[in-house]
Amino acid sequence: MKADSELFQTELAARGLELGDTVRVSHIIETDSESVWQVISQPGQLPRYHPFCQATTVLKWPGVGAKDTVSYYSGVHYERDFVGWLEGVGFDIEVGPSSRKTARVEWRITAQGERQSELAITVIPYLKADLSIPQKRAYQQRLFGDTIAQYLDSVVRGVGHVATTGQAVQKNQFGSHPLYSD
């Protein structure tokens, strides 16, 4: 695993990027891990569980190399490029505008028994290596600061809602977000 991490950081450095501070949010969901996997791994389902996602377009699915787009209620548009796919466990994506990904996001499901699972989402920001430390801090605070944990909490709660009720989330169901709500 250490060799993979070093290779990943070497590839980022070649793109003029480095890793920022990691943010992780998890939620216990009162259903089995298979049900959680079914919610997050089906193509085109992002608006069902993501309370800030207005629409998604699937470009390729599933597995490594999968790609979709996210259109937020605020008008922001991102692409998700799937760079890791662990069947039944989760996936790793690079997310951001099509020309410049801004973060790596790791989704992981862990069984907590027959009828309980933990879903964790970890965001690892990409920072431009040539920026000054104050500029990196300001960028990270603006996009990945205090509100990113609330954003991630809304998403994992949305997955839990769909996995346990079968019903889609409503727009901003767990509160609005300054960057992704309208």
Short mmCIF file of all heavy atoms in Angstrom, two decimals, residues 59-100:
data_model
loop_
_atom_site.label_atom_id
_atom_site.label_comp_id
_atom_site.label_asym_id
_atom_site.label_seq_id
_atom_site.Cartn_x
_atom_site.Cartn_y
_atom_site.Cartn_z
N LEU A 59 -21.37 8.61 -18.26
CA LEU A 59 -20.62 8.57 -19.51
C LEU A 59 -20.03 7.19 -19.76
O LEU A 59 -19.90 6.77 -20.91
CB LEU A 59 -19.51 9.63 -19.48
CG LEU A 59 -20.01 11.06 -19.24
CD1 LEU A 59 -18.85 12.01 -19.04
CD2 LEU A 59 -20.92 11.50 -20.37
N LYS A 60 -19.68 6.48 -18.67
CA LYS A 60 -19.14 5.12 -18.76
C LYS A 60 -19.36 4.48 -17.39
O LYS A 60 -19.18 5.14 -16.37
CB LYS A 60 -17.66 5.14 -19.11
CG LYS A 60 -17.05 3.76 -19.29
CD LYS A 60 -15.58 3.84 -19.66
CE LYS A 60 -15.04 2.43 -19.77
NZ LYS A 60 -13.59 2.42 -19.85
N TRP A 61 -19.73 3.17 -17.38
CA TRP A 61 -20.02 2.50 -16.11
C TRP A 61 -19.85 1.01 -16.29
O TRP A 61 -20.15 0.50 -17.36
CB TRP A 61 -21.45 2.81 -15.67
CG TRP A 61 -21.67 2.65 -14.21
CD1 TRP A 61 -22.15 1.54 -13.59
CD2 TRP A 61 -21.40 3.61 -13.20
NE1 TRP A 61 -22.20 1.75 -12.24
CE2 TRP A 61 -21.75 3.02 -11.98
CE3 TRP A 61 -20.90 4.90 -13.20
CZ2 TRP A 61 -21.61 3.68 -10.76
CZ3 TRP A 61 -20.78 5.55 -12.00
CH2 TRP A 61 -21.13 4.94 -10.80
N PRO A 62 -19.49 0.27 -15.31
CA PRO A 62 -18.92 0.53 -13.99
C PRO A 62 -17.42 0.32 -13.99
O PRO A 62 -16.82 0.08 -15.05
CB PRO A 62 -19.60 -0.53 -13.12
CG PRO A 62 -19.64 -1.74 -14.00
CD PRO A 62 -19.90 -1.15 -15.41
N GLY A 63 -16.82 0.32 -12.83
CA GLY A 63 -15.42 -0.04 -12.63
C GLY A 63 -14.45 1.09 -12.84
O GLY A 63 -14.81 2.24 -13.07
N VAL A 64 -13.16 0.72 -12.77
CA VAL A 64 -12.09 1.69 -13.02
C VAL A 64 -12.27 2.21 -14.44
O VAL A 64 -12.49 1.43 -15.37
CB VAL A 64 -10.70 1.04 -12.83
CG1 VAL A 64 -9.60 1.99 -13.28
CG2 VAL A 64 -10.51 0.61 -11.39
N GLY A 65 -12.23 3.51 -14.60
CA GLY A 65 -12.46 4.13 -15.90
C GLY A 65 -13.89 4.63 -16.06
O GLY A 65 -14.20 5.32 -17.02
N ALA A 66 -14.77 4.28 -15.11
CA ALA A 66 -16.14 4.80 -15.14
C ALA A 66 -16.07 6.32 -15.01
O ALA A 66 -15.12 6.87 -14.44
CB ALA A 66 -16.98 4.19 -14.02
N LYS A 67 -17.09 6.98 -15.54
CA LYS A 67 -17.13 8.45 -15.48
C LYS A 67 -18.58 8.90 -15.51
O LYS A 67 -19.39 8.34 -16.24
CB LYS A 67 -16.37 9.04 -16.66
CG LYS A 67 -16.37 10.58 -16.70
CD LYS A 67 -15.66 11.11 -17.92
CE LYS A 67 -14.17 11.08 -17.66
NZ LYS A 67 -13.41 12.08 -18.36
N ASP A 68 -18.89 9.90 -14.68
CA ASP A 68 -20.18 10.55 -14.75
C ASP A 68 -20.02 12.03 -14.44
O ASP A 68 -18.93 12.48 -14.08
CB ASP A 68 -21.23 9.87 -13.86
CG ASP A 68 -20.94 9.89 -12.37
OD1 ASP A 68 -20.01 10.61 -11.92
OD2 ASP A 68 -21.65 9.19 -11.62
N THR A 69 -21.09 12.77 -14.64
CA THR A 69 -21.08 14.19 -14.35
C THR A 69 -22.06 14.47 -13.22
O THR A 69 -23.02 13.72 -13.02
CB THR A 69 -21.49 15.04 -15.58
OG1 THR A 69 -22.85 14.73 -15.90
CG2 THR A 69 -20.58 14.76 -16.76
N VAL A 70 -21.81 15.55 -12.51
CA VAL A 70 -22.69 15.99 -11.42
C VAL A 70 -23.07 17.44 -11.70
O VAL A 70 -22.20 18.28 -11.89
CB VAL A 70 -21.97 15.92 -10.05
CG1 VAL A 70 -22.92 16.34 -8.94
CG2 VAL A 70 -21.39 14.55 -9.79
N SER A 71 -24.37 17.70 -11.72
CA SER A 71 -24.87 19.07 -11.82
C SER A 71 -25.55 19.39 -10.50
O SER A 71 -26.54 18.75 -10.13
CB SER A 71 -25.87 19.20 -12.97
OG SER A 71 -25.24 18.96 -14.19
N TYR A 72 -25.00 20.37 -9.78
CA TYR A 72 -25.53 20.77 -8.48
C TYR A 72 -26.63 21.81 -8.67
O TYR A 72 -26.68 22.50 -9.69
CB TYR A 72 -24.40 21.35 -7.62
CG TYR A 72 -23.36 20.33 -7.23
CD1 TYR A 72 -22.20 20.17 -7.97
CD2 TYR A 72 -23.54 19.53 -6.10
CE1 TYR A 72 -21.24 19.23 -7.62
CE2 TYR A 72 -22.59 18.60 -5.73
CZ TYR A 72 -21.44 18.45 -6.49
OH TYR A 72 -20.50 17.52 -6.13
N TYR A 73 -27.47 21.94 -7.66
CA TYR A 73 -28.54 22.94 -7.70
C TYR A 73 -28.01 24.36 -7.86
O TYR A 73 -28.69 25.22 -8.41
CB TYR A 73 -29.41 22.85 -6.44
CG TYR A 73 -30.28 21.61 -6.43
CD1 TYR A 73 -30.04 20.57 -5.55
CD2 TYR A 73 -31.35 21.49 -7.32
CE1 TYR A 73 -30.83 19.43 -5.56
CE2 TYR A 73 -32.14 20.36 -7.33
CZ TYR A 73 -31.88 19.33 -6.45
OH TYR A 73 -32.66 18.20 -6.46
N SER A 74 -26.79 24.62 -7.41
CA SER A 74 -26.19 25.96 -7.50
C SER A 74 -25.72 26.31 -8.90
O SER A 74 -25.35 27.45 -9.16
CB SER A 74 -25.02 26.07 -6.54
OG SER A 74 -23.98 25.19 -6.95
N GLY A 75 -25.69 25.32 -9.79
CA GLY A 75 -25.18 25.56 -11.14
C GLY A 75 -23.75 25.07 -11.35
O GLY A 75 -23.25 25.07 -12.47
N VAL A 76 -23.08 24.64 -10.30
CA VAL A 76 -21.73 24.07 -10.41
C VAL A 76 -21.83 22.71 -11.10
O VAL A 76 -22.77 21.94 -10.85
CB VAL A 76 -21.08 23.92 -9.01
CG1 VAL A 76 -19.78 23.14 -9.08
CG2 VAL A 76 -20.86 25.29 -8.38
N HIS A 77 -20.87 22.42 -11.99
CA HIS A 77 -20.82 21.14 -12.69
C HIS A 77 -19.45 20.51 -12.48
O HIS A 77 -18.43 21.18 -12.67
CB HIS A 77 -21.05 21.33 -14.20
CG HIS A 77 -22.36 21.95 -14.52
ND1 HIS A 77 -23.54 21.25 -14.52
CD2 HIS A 77 -22.69 23.23 -14.83
CE1 HIS A 77 -24.54 22.06 -14.83
NE2 HIS A 77 -24.05 23.27 -15.01
N TYR A 78 -19.44 19.25 -12.09
CA TYR A 78 -18.19 18.49 -11.91
C TYR A 78 -18.27 17.19 -12.66
O TYR A 78 -19.35 16.72 -13.01
CB TYR A 78 -17.97 18.16 -10.42
CG TYR A 78 -17.54 19.30 -9.53
CD1 TYR A 78 -17.74 19.21 -8.17
CD2 TYR A 78 -16.92 20.44 -10.02
CE1 TYR A 78 -17.34 20.23 -7.31
CE2 TYR A 78 -16.53 21.46 -9.18
CZ TYR A 78 -16.74 21.35 -7.83
OH TYR A 78 -16.36 22.37 -6.99
N GLU A 79 -17.09 16.61 -12.87
CA GLU A 79 -16.99 15.25 -13.38
C GLU A 79 -16.42 14.38 -12.29
O GLU A 79 -15.62 14.84 -11.47
CB GLU A 79 -16.06 15.17 -14.59
CG GLU A 79 -16.66 15.67 -15.86
CD GLU A 79 -15.75 15.47 -17.06
OE1 GLU A 79 -14.60 14.98 -16.90
OE2 GLU A 79 -16.18 15.81 -18.17
N ARG A 80 -16.84 13.12 -12.28
CA ARG A 80 -16.27 12.13 -11.37
C ARG A 80 -15.61 11.06 -12.24
O ARG A 80 -16.27 10.41 -13.04
CB ARG A 80 -17.35 11.49 -10.48
CG ARG A 80 -18.08 12.46 -9.61
CD ARG A 80 -18.96 11.78 -8.56
NE ARG A 80 -19.78 10.70 -9.09
CZ ARG A 80 -20.35 9.76 -8.34
NH1 ARG A 80 -20.21 9.78 -7.02
NH2 ARG A 80 -21.10 8.81 -8.88
N ASP A 81 -14.29 10.91 -12.08
CA ASP A 81 -13.53 9.87 -12.77
C ASP A 81 -13.20 8.78 -11.76
O ASP A 81 -12.52 9.05 -10.76
CB ASP A 81 -12.23 10.44 -13.35
CG ASP A 81 -12.47 11.48 -14.42
OD1 ASP A 81 -13.52 11.43 -15.09
OD2 ASP A 81 -11.61 12.36 -14.59
N PHE A 82 -13.65 7.56 -12.01
CA PHE A 82 -13.45 6.45 -11.08
C PHE A 82 -12.07 5.84 -11.31
O PHE A 82 -11.81 5.28 -12.37
CB PHE A 82 -14.56 5.42 -11.24
CG PHE A 82 -15.89 5.92 -10.73
CD1 PHE A 82 -16.60 6.89 -11.43
CD2 PHE A 82 -16.41 5.44 -9.55
CE1 PHE A 82 -17.81 7.37 -10.96
CE2 PHE A 82 -17.63 5.92 -9.06
CZ PHE A 82 -18.33 6.89 -9.77
N VAL A 83 -11.20 5.97 -10.32
CA VAL A 83 -9.82 5.50 -10.44
C VAL A 83 -9.58 4.24 -9.61
O VAL A 83 -8.51 3.63 -9.71
CB VAL A 83 -8.81 6.62 -10.06
CG1 VAL A 83 -8.91 7.78 -11.04
CG2 VAL A 83 -9.01 7.09 -8.63
N GLY A 84 -10.55 3.84 -8.81
CA GLY A 84 -10.48 2.61 -8.04
C GLY A 84 -11.89 2.06 -7.87
O GLY A 84 -12.84 2.84 -7.72
N TRP A 85 -12.05 0.74 -7.92
CA TRP A 85 -13.37 0.12 -7.78
C TRP A 85 -13.19 -1.17 -7.00
O TRP A 85 -12.52 -2.09 -7.48
CB TRP A 85 -13.96 -0.16 -9.15
CG TRP A 85 -15.39 -0.62 -9.14
CD1 TRP A 85 -15.84 -1.91 -8.98
CD2 TRP A 85 -16.55 0.18 -9.32
NE1 TRP A 85 -17.21 -1.95 -9.04
CE2 TRP A 85 -17.68 -0.67 -9.25
CE3 TRP A 85 -16.76 1.54 -9.52
CZ2 TRP A 85 -18.98 -0.22 -9.38
CZ3 TRP A 85 -18.07 1.99 -9.67
CH2 TRP A 85 -19.16 1.12 -9.60
N LEU A 86 -13.74 -1.22 -5.81
CA LEU A 86 -13.66 -2.39 -4.95
C LEU A 86 -15.07 -2.95 -4.81
O LEU A 86 -15.87 -2.45 -4.01
CB LEU A 86 -13.09 -2.02 -3.58
CG LEU A 86 -11.72 -1.33 -3.60
CD1 LEU A 86 -11.42 -0.67 -2.28
CD2 LEU A 86 -10.66 -2.35 -3.95
N GLU A 87 -15.39 -3.94 -5.61
CA GLU A 87 -16.74 -4.49 -5.66
C GLU A 87 -17.27 -4.81 -4.26
O GLU A 87 -16.64 -5.52 -3.49
CB GLU A 87 -16.76 -5.76 -6.53
CG GLU A 87 -18.13 -6.28 -6.86
CD GLU A 87 -18.92 -5.37 -7.79
OE1 GLU A 87 -18.35 -4.65 -8.62
OE2 GLU A 87 -20.16 -5.39 -7.65
N GLY A 88 -18.43 -4.23 -3.93
CA GLY A 88 -19.07 -4.47 -2.65
C GLY A 88 -18.51 -3.66 -1.49
O GLY A 88 -19.05 -3.69 -0.40
N VAL A 89 -17.41 -2.93 -1.74
CA VAL A 89 -16.72 -2.22 -0.65
C VAL A 89 -16.70 -0.71 -0.87
O VAL A 89 -16.87 0.07 0.06
CB VAL A 89 -15.28 -2.75 -0.49
CG1 VAL A 89 -14.50 -1.94 0.53
CG2 VAL A 89 -15.29 -4.22 -0.14
N GLY A 90 -16.49 -0.27 -2.11
CA GLY A 90 -16.42 1.16 -2.37
C GLY A 90 -15.66 1.48 -3.64
O GLY A 90 -15.38 0.61 -4.46
N PHE A 91 -15.33 2.74 -3.78
CA PHE A 91 -14.59 3.20 -4.95
C PHE A 91 -13.82 4.47 -4.61
O PHE A 91 -14.07 5.10 -3.59
CB PHE A 91 -15.52 3.43 -6.15
CG PHE A 91 -16.81 4.15 -5.85
CD1 PHE A 91 -16.85 5.51 -5.61
CD2 PHE A 91 -18.00 3.44 -5.81
CE1 PHE A 91 -18.04 6.17 -5.33
CE2 PHE A 91 -19.20 4.08 -5.54
CZ PHE A 91 -19.22 5.44 -5.30
N ASP A 92 -12.87 4.81 -5.49
CA ASP A 92 -12.08 6.03 -5.38
C ASP A 92 -12.35 6.84 -6.65
O ASP A 92 -12.34 6.28 -7.75
CB ASP A 92 -10.59 5.73 -5.29
CG ASP A 92 -10.22 4.90 -4.09
OD1 ASP A 92 -10.99 4.88 -3.11
OD2 ASP A 92 -9.16 4.25 -4.12
N ILE A 93 -12.58 8.12 -6.46
CA ILE A 93 -12.82 8.99 -7.62
C ILE A 93 -11.94 10.23 -7.54
O ILE A 93 -11.51 10.63 -6.47
CB ILE A 93 -14.30 9.41 -7.72
CG1 ILE A 93 -14.77 10.15 -6.47
CG2 ILE A 93 -15.19 8.21 -7.99
CD1 ILE A 93 -16.19 10.66 -6.53
N GLU A 94 -11.69 10.80 -8.71
CA GLU A 94 -11.14 12.14 -8.80
C GLU A 94 -12.31 13.00 -9.25
O GLU A 94 -13.04 12.63 -10.18
CB GLU A 94 -9.98 12.22 -9.78
CG GLU A 94 -8.72 11.60 -9.24
CD GLU A 94 -7.50 11.93 -10.09
OE1 GLU A 94 -7.62 11.97 -11.33
OE2 GLU A 94 -6.44 12.14 -9.49
N VAL A 95 -12.51 14.12 -8.58
CA VAL A 95 -13.68 14.95 -8.83
C VAL A 95 -13.27 16.40 -9.03
O VAL A 95 -12.27 16.85 -8.49
CB VAL A 95 -14.70 14.81 -7.67
CG1 VAL A 95 -14.14 15.37 -6.39
CG2 VAL A 95 -16.04 15.45 -8.01
N GLY A 96 -14.06 17.10 -9.83
CA GLY A 96 -13.83 18.51 -10.09
C GLY A 96 -14.24 18.86 -11.50
O GLY A 96 -14.81 18.03 -12.21
N PRO A 97 -13.95 20.08 -11.92
CA PRO A 97 -14.22 20.45 -13.32
C PRO A 97 -13.46 19.51 -14.25
O PRO A 97 -12.43 18.95 -13.89
CB PRO A 97 -13.67 21.88 -13.43
CG PRO A 97 -13.60 22.38 -12.02
CD PRO A 97 -13.34 21.18 -11.16
N SER A 98 -13.98 19.33 -15.46
CA SER A 98 -13.38 18.35 -16.37
C SER A 98 -11.91 18.61 -16.66
O SER A 98 -11.14 17.67 -16.81
CB SER A 98 -14.16 18.29 -17.68
OG SER A 98 -14.15 19.55 -18.32
N SER A 99 -11.51 19.87 -16.70
CA SER A 99 -10.13 20.19 -17.04
C SER A 99 -9.18 20.18 -15.85
O SER A 99 -7.97 20.20 -16.03
CB SER A 99 -10.07 21.57 -17.71
OG SER A 99 -10.52 22.55 -16.78
N ARG A 100 -9.73 20.14 -14.61
CA ARG A 100 -8.85 20.25 -13.45
C ARG A 100 -9.51 19.62 -12.24
O ARG A 100 -10.33 20.24 -11.58
CB ARG A 100 -8.53 21.72 -13.19
CG ARG A 100 -7.57 21.96 -12.05
CD ARG A 100 -7.33 23.45 -11.82
NE ARG A 100 -8.54 24.20 -11.61
CZ ARG A 100 -9.16 24.32 -10.43
NH1 ARG A 100 -8.69 23.73 -9.37
NH2 ARG A 100 -10.26 25.06 -10.32
#
